[in-house]
Amino acid sequence: MLRQDQCTLEIKTGTQGLTEITDQVQSWVASTGIARGQLTVFVRHTSASLTIQENADPDVRLDLETFFGRLVQENPSLYRHTCEGPDDMPAHIKSALTDVSLTIPVADGFAMLGTWQGIYLFEHRHAPHRRNVILHLIGE
């Protein structure tokens, strides 16, 4: 019988960077009792995003953060939208270049991530935030 479930995770961020949320997501998927289906992970913000990346070597996260910092400069002279601070418009651009939603297959009651894959919230602002991540699972 096809059914669905949904929840909201509140993720506290400290500053710009990647925060792994894999354990929270996997725990919730297991708690639903849905063994096989499709999971959608969605972040409800325009200055944060989601990604699936390697979770074994922390240098991968540091290299990604460094790369995005170089790619999208925090220089107010480059942007018109500056009323929310010098990191806001660059945060919107970084979010546009990444994903706000992920789709992950579920089997045997778990999101089917690869051996070294983790789910990350990518905070693009400097100040701490509380980010809402919606999890929606449909399956049987």
Side-chain angles (χ1 to χ4, degrees):
M1 173 68 116
L2 195 63
R3 60 190 194 90
Q4 56 187 323
D5 204 342
Q6 185 172 308
C7 84
T8 301
L9 300 177
E10 184 179 89
I11 309 299
K12 296 176 185 175
T13 64
T15 188
Q16 286 183 341
L18 292 150
T19 301
E20 188 168 7
I21 61 171
T22 309
D23 289 344
Q24 291 130 295
V25 172
Q26 290 287 31
S27 178
W28 177 78
V29 168
S31 77
T32 67
I34 297 175
R36 183 178 57 230
Q38 186 173 37
L39 172 67
T40 300
V41 184
F42 175 75
V43 63
R44 296 183 60 201
H45 304 278
T46 59
S47 56
S49 58
L50 298 165
T51 189
I52 294 176
Q53 279 299 328
E54 178 179 324
N55 63 0
D57 184 352
D59 284 341
V60 171
R61 293 186 299 277
L62 294 172
D63 286 343
L64 282 168
E65 293 163 9
T66 300
F67 173 79
F68 274 95
R70 275 186 284 198
L71 182 66
V72 184
Q73 297 176 33
E74 290 183 14
N75 179 346
S77 69
L78 298 174
Y79 312 108
R80 284 183 276 225
H81 175 72
T82 59
C83 62
E84 296 179 56
D87 67 335
D88 188 51
M89 190 60 219
H92 292 302
I93 294 169
K94 291 173 187 176
S95 181
L97 293 172
T98 52
D99 294 311
V100 295
S101 164
L102 303 170
T103 303
I104 305 167
V106 170
D108 299 322
F110 292 97
M112 298 303 297
L113 297 169
T115 302
W116 308 114
Q117 288 183 319
I119 303 167
Y120 291 88
L121 173 69
F122 201 166
E123 176 62 65
H124 301 302
R125 300 291 308 266
H126 288 292
H129 283 81
R130 292 174 190 247
R131 301 300 192 172
N132 291 314
V133 176
I134 310 301
L135 305 179
H136 182 260
L137 178 57
I138 186 166
E140 51 190 19

